[in-house]
Amino acid sequence: MRVRVEADGGSRGNPGPAGYGAAVFDADTGALLAERSEAIGVATNNVAEYGGLIAGLEAALELGADDVEVRMDSKLVVEQMAGRWQVKHPGLRPLASQARQLAGRFARIAYTWIPRAANAHADRLANEAMDAQEGRRTTPAAWTGARGEPTRLLLLRHGQTPMSAERRYSGRGDVEPTELGRAQAEAAARRVAKLDGVGAATPIVSSPLIRTMVTARAVAEATGGEVTTHPGLIETDFGDWEGLTFAEASERDPALHTRWLSDPTVPAPGGESFDVVHRRVAGVRDELLERHAGRTVIVVSHVTPIKSLLRMALDAGPSLLFRLHLDLASLSIAEFYPDGNASVRLVNDISHLG
């Protein structure tokens, strides 16, 4: 019998509350044959990942499998089990030994590294185990009647750049943050890392521009997580107004600038309208809700995309874009429920910059 084992583990704190998940699929049909998940108390990511591997191998043996492909997004576990890397950490040696003993009972076994996005099933099981351990429950949101486990988006704006310091339109221009901007990013990262449910397994999704990537990498260093980028989170394309101040853009194109500030369908000259940005960001939101349903996701972006996500959560009109202020390195939180409801928990918090 040929099966595919997908396994994962995570720790919210590394070490911190940890859990693992594993799923066994028929290698020919793709049918789900078994699932395993368990919270394991306080442990590291690697310990939890080995726990997922062991649980998956045990489930495959119970099913009578003799040919197994193990797929994991842990490069360390895959390389160690394939014999290409040594198991140097003393805490992992007993787990690796146990996994090898189980592996020896199959006629054939192979190990394949896959990206995290391709390991969503096992990742979800591991996070559900950690959620249960931390006492999270599916409850209605206060005053809304929303039900189900929400996907919580932690919306973080990048730190200061020379352009933002001079209050210039800064869209697609790729500028480095200032020294203050880097300090702001580090302060915001420390704040985010302390939030409930944030750990090494928490996805960090960033705009690909330098100023957001610097902030996202600071978050990754603070949480132990990994950064992925999404082009849909990039700032508005301000076209010919890029690099101009508000006053300079207004002087250059007075009538158009006035219309642009009141009509979201009007694009900047050579750039985008806010309606276009809103539709682009809505697509990103839908992807995040599907890929990370019921989880916390750290989103590092710019003013307009973050305002757009808050606008969606509030079910508000485009005037919000002009009436809501977002500071550099500010944190906002929006939750989107599986039944279509949403809740805004925090807006423009900069207490970490004090």
Side-chain angles (χ1 to χ4, degrees), residues 14-96:
N14 200 29
Y20 63 71
V24 184
F25 300 89
D26 185 292
D28 297 316
T29 67
L32 177 64
L33 303 176
E35 290 181 335
R36 298 287 187 273
S37 64
E38 184 178 354
I40 57 174
V42 175
T44 65
N45 282 327
N46 295 148
V47 167
E49 288 163 347
Y50 263 109
L53 170 62
I54 290 168
L57 295 178
E58 289 176 339
L61 285 170
E62 292 172 9
L63 291 166
D66 57 3
D67 187 336
V68 178
E69 180 193 11
V70 176
R71 303 176 58 175
M72 300 182 69
D73 60 50
S74 170
K75 186 75 169 177
L76 179 135
V77 174
V78 167
E79 294 297 317
Q80 288 180 344
M81 292 304 299
R84 292 185 288 269
W85 290 3
Q86 292 182 341
V87 185
K88 296 181 179 180
H89 196 289
L92 298 182
R93 288 172 187 160
L95 296 171

Side-chain angles (χ1 to χ4, degrees), residues 12 20 35 37-39 121-134 136 293 295:
R12 292 172 178 169
Y20 63 71
E35 290 181 335
S37 64
E38 184 178 354
H121 195 119
D123 178 78
R124 175 179 59 79
L125 293 173
N127 275 280
E128 287 175 353
M130 287 184 278
D131 288 346
Q133 178 172 250
E134 293 180 330
R136 294 178 65 185
R295 297 183 59 191

